């Protein structure tokens, strides 16, 4: 059995906020079949979705395409311990 490397989160910061406000984290929405449907960004790091690097990149790509104000945010992949 393969051990899937799921230890990454997607973190997003609003550029204009600087370090004044805490970042938000991605919570991935999937269908019952496991198909990626979208992302919501939440404040609670403990409830954020832990994922592989490929899944995290899919979240970043989705956010860049679907969020109208995507250029106002810095979205990055971080390791769970960060």
């Amino acid at each position: 059995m393969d051990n899937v490397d799921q230890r990454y989160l997607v973190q997003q910061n609003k550029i204009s906020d600087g370090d004044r406000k805490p970042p938000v984290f991605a919570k991935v929405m999937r269908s019952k079949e496991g198909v990626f449907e979208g992302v919501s960004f939440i404040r609670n790091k403990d409830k954020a979705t832990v994922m592989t690097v490929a899944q995290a990149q899919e979240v970043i790509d989705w956010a860049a395409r679907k969020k109208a104000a995507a250029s106002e945010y810095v979205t990055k992949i971080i390791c769970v311990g960060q």
Side-chain angles (χ1 to χ4, degrees):
M1 185 173 187
D2 293 334
N3 188 9
V4 179
D5 184 17
Q6 288 190 316
R7 57 185 171 128
Y8 299 97
L9 299 172
V10 174
Q11 174 182 305
Q12 191 174 69
N13 293 78
K14 192 165 187 175
I15 296 169
S16 63
D17 289 344
D19 291 333
R20 294 178 304 202
K21 290 189 178 181
V24 291
F25 301 92
K27 181 159 180 72
V28 177
M29 296 174 279
R30 295 192 183 278
S31 68
K32 289 181 181 179
E33 295 80 30
V35 177
F36 179 86
E37 291 185 337
V39 178
S40 59
F41 285 93
I42 59 173
R43 289 189 178 123
N44 190 336
K45 187 176 185 177
D46 296 330
K47 292 184 180 179
T49 305
V50 178
M51 57 196 108
T52 65
V53 172
Q55 291 167 333
Q57 188 59 52
E58 182 179 31
V59 168
I60 290 174
D61 294 343
W62 181 90
R65 281 191 324 270
K66 297 292 183 177
K67 283 189 90 170
S71 62
E72 296 177 23
Y73 295 89
V74 174
T75 307
K76 61 186 175 182
I77 300 170
I78 62 168
C79 200
V80 169
Q82 290 182 314

